[in-house]
Amino acid sequence: RKEVEQDPGPFNVPEGATVAFNCTYSNSASQSFFWYRQDCRKEPKLLMSVYSSGNEDGRFTAQLNRASQYISLLIRDSKLSDSATYLCVVILGTAGGFKTIFGAGTRLFVKA
Amino acid sequence: GAGVSQSPRYKVAKRGQDVALRCDPISGHVSLFWYQQALGQGPEFLTYFQNEAQLDKSGLPSDRFFAERPEGSVSTLKIQRTQQEDSAVYLCASSPRDRTGELFFGEGSRLTVL
């Protein structure tokens, strides 16, 4: 089983729609969590951190459920420019330090 | 520039050739990571440095892969005797702090092994 799993999609939604992505992680010792965005043929960029209390940044809301070991990202009022791959990221402590583990990503297409 | 710089951006190698990929992190960033990203997949962890110390190399797929960061700044990922399955984008990322998921990525080096 992969350490971080995401629905690969693609999600095809119209502009203005609300879309949600989930991500599950297997190691209960995972320490912190993030969502990254990656445009086609570009490098990943940090979108937002994920906290147990949930956090919101404009149209984006991230939630963490430690008991069920999943993370979610909600995008409201989707824009064409939201089309990208969304990567779930988990930080895991290791004997040597820590490891940053990426999911395979969920592809989102927002259409006019 | 202010960002993470990687070179070469594109590399075509014949099977069996050795390649070296360079990463110049953001100045002052303590942590440096190498990832391998195949088409349609997320970045796969290869190795991690804290300053010049390589703290985790558990993701390196074979002993043909070697990374170094001798002075705690620029890093080089070397792949010996390249194979077709090594074809991927190699991403370097740096971070100003330890134990953080706030990574700043370079644009990557796209390696194609023929």
Side-chain angles (χ1 to χ4, degrees):
Chain A
R1 183 185 171 190
K2 284 194 169 184
E3 291 171 301
V4 179
E5 296 205 55
Q6 296 183 248
D7 181 344
F11 285 63
N12 293 288
V13 303
E15 271 188 295
T18 295
V19 61
F21 309 134
N22 286 333
C23 165
T24 58
Y25 59 96
S26 60
N27 194 320
S28 59
S30 298
Q31 298 173 351
S32 48
F33 310 88
F34 303 84
W35 284 101
Y36 274 70
R37 170 193 171 128
Q38 186 172 25
D39 293 296
C40 188
R41 292 187 169 264
K42 296 288 190 182
E43 72 275 21
K45 291 185 179 177
L46 178 64
L47 180 64
M48 59 196 305
S49 305
V50 188
Y51 305 116
S52 297
S53 55
N55 51 306
E56 191 173 305
D57 182 2
R59 298 181 294 107
F60 297 81
T61 301
Q63 293 256 323
L64 165 64
N65 184 318
R66 282 194 182 270
S68 302
Q69 294 183 202
Y70 80 81
I71 307 144
S72 64
L73 177 68
L74 182 78
I75 306 175
R76 291 181 299 279
D77 189 22
S78 300
K79 311 291 184 192
L80 294 176
S81 57
D82 294 334
S83 298
T85 296
Y86 291 84
L87 300 161
C88 172
V89 179
V90 169
I91 308 296
L92 183 63
T94 67
F98 72 105
K99 189 180 291 188
T100 308
I101 303 169
F102 283 75
T106 298
R107 297 183 71 187
L108 171 65
F109 293 102
V110 181
K111 299 185 177 181
Chain B
V4 177
S5 178
Q6 291 189 245
S7 61
R9 289 290 314 283
Y10 303 92
K11 175 70 179 178
V12 178
K14 292 183 179 177
R15 191 169 57 177
Q17 250 185 315
D18 296 350
V19 300
L21 309 177
R22 176 189 167 104
C23 174
D24 204 335
I26 295 172
S27 178
H29 277 199
V30 169
S31 301
L32 185 145
F33 304 80
W34 282 99
Y35 287 84
Q36 180 190 61
Q37 187 170 27
L39 193 62
Q41 299 296 313
E44 294 281 346
F45 172 82
L46 293 177
T47 187
Y48 154 61
F49 291 85
Q50 186 183 108
N51 296 308
E52 69 279 3
Q54 188 174 22
L55 297 187
D56 190 336
K57 55 181 180 180
S58 62
L60 296 177
S62 77
D63 59 9
R64 296 185 296 103
F65 286 71
F66 171 76
E68 61 183 3
R69 193 187 185 198
E71 297 177 1
S73 178
V74 171
S75 177
T76 303
L77 176 67
K78 296 179 180 177
I79 309 173
Q80 296 177 322
R81 304 182 304 283
T82 52
Q83 303 294 314
Q84 283 188 319
E85 62 263 28
D86 300 335
S87 296
V89 176
Y90 291 85
L91 292 164
C92 175
S94 69
S95 176
R97 295 176 301 280
D98 194 19
R99 294 185 178 269
T100 174
E102 187 182 5
L103 303 183
F104 296 83
F105 281 87
E107 292 181 296
S109 292
R110 183 177 296 275
L111 173 64
T112 303
V113 182
L114 302 177

